Amino acid sequence: MEHLIEVFDDTIPIKQRHYPMSPIKKKYAYDEIDRMLKLDVIEESNSSWSSPIVLVEKPGKKRLCVDMRKLNESTKRDAYPTQHVEGILSRLRETYFISGIDLKDAFWQIPLESSSREKTAFTVPGRPLYQFKVMPFGLCNASQRLCRLMDKVISSRLREHVFVYIDDLLICSPDFDSHLVHLAEVAECLAGAGLTINLE
């Protein structure tokens, strides 16, 4: 499955300047960009599009994000339904064992359709223009694409015991023996789709 960014017909490429960054933040951004190049999730770009990057700081970690709000305003919305936590919790009957599985860099596990790549171009102070080769975090339809993928990957026979919330899976079972069986079946589904989990 690939992700397509479909913009409205009258959309012209949006070019934004990068935001100013302190030397410390710039060094972190450069290190992260080098890591992304090594992982082959981004490439240099000749795009007419350009979005700025931002560093989002959470307790104990930082995340390099692209501010895609302008692109999102020009993107046709995907109406695919996503799960709500309340809906998942209301279905947990006779559950005594729960395991959580987190997909590693989940959004990056979905390739970006080639004509969509130029729309994800982003600018970093002092570096060339880059664009994504995979689906980046921050796109308005990224969660729907991930839900669509997981609905195809997780077998319908497991839906009663496996709940997907964006890039997290909850495996719920009434007893330990069936829980081990459910975990093995989920692992088989994920491996069959070539998806990687976060062992941490």
Side-chain angles (χ1 to χ4, degrees):
M1 182 180 287
E2 291 185 318
H3 184 67
L4 171 69
I5 301 171
E6 194 175 1
V7 295
F8 298 109
D9 294 336
D10 60 349
T11 302
I12 58 170
I14 301 163
K15 181 183 177 189
Q16 296 175 268
R17 287 183 53 79
H18 58 72
Y19 300 139
M21 299 180 89
S22 69
I24 292 171
K25 288 186 176 181
K26 197 184 292 186
K27 183 187 182 316
Y28 177 83
Y30 287 2
D31 290 346
E32 188 64 8
I33 293 224
D34 290 340
R35 182 180 82 90
M36 292 162 77
L37 285 165
K38 191 173 180 182
L39 290 172
D40 200 33
V41 299
I42 61 171
E43 61 189 358
E44 286 195 25
S45 175
N46 294 314
S47 176
S48 301
W49 295 76
S50 178
S51 298
I53 63 161
V54 291
L55 284 178
V56 177
E57 298 193 40
K58 294 185 175 181
K61 67 177 183 178
K62 296 178 192 164
R63 175 183 276 176
L64 181 77
C65 298
V66 180
D67 183 352
M68 303 235 179
R69 287 177 292 181
K70 295 282 188 189
L71 172 60
N72 288 340
E73 288 171 10
S74 303
T75 302
K76 295 179 182 177
R77 294 297 196 264
D78 183 352
Y80 196 83
T82 57
Q83 286 276 10
H84 292 283
V85 174
E86 294 81 12
I88 293 171
L89 294 175
S90 69
R91 292 161 57 196
L92 297 180
R93 296 188 189 95
E94 301 293 317
T95 296
Y96 293 94
F97 292 90
I98 300 175
S99 290
I101 295 179
D102 175 47
L103 293 178
K104 184 169 179 58
D105 297 323
F107 290 79
W108 291 358
Q109 295 193 48
I110 299 176
L112 196 56
E113 194 268 334
S114 58
S115 69
S116 297
R117 292 180 181 183
E118 66 174 16
K119 297 180 183 80
T120 67
F122 60 94
T123 181
V124 183
R127 294 293 286 263
L129 192 65
Y130 297 102
Q131 64 189 24
F132 279 87
K133 299 171 74 174
V134 296
M135 184 176 71
F137 184 79
L139 291 177
C140 61
N141 294 326
S143 297
Q144 286 81 357
R145 176 64 61 194
L146 197 55
C147 287
R148 185 180 270 115
L149 172 65
M150 296 313 298
D151 282 348
K152 289 184 182 296
V153 169
I154 301 299
S155 169
S156 58
R157 74 179 188 281
L158 290 171
R159 296 283 163 78
E160 194 176 316
H161 302 286
V162 181
F163 304 98
V164 179
Y165 182 70
I166 306 178
D167 59 346
D168 292 305
L169 289 85
L170 287 180
I171 295 94
C172 307
S173 312
D175 58 75
F176 188 69
D177 290 339
S178 63
H179 195 60
L180 292 179
V181 171
H182 295 147
L183 285 170
E185 289 177 331
V186 168
E188 191 176 311
C189 291
L190 295 174
L195 296 172
T196 305
I197 65 169
N198 188 349
L199 290 177
E200 292 175 6

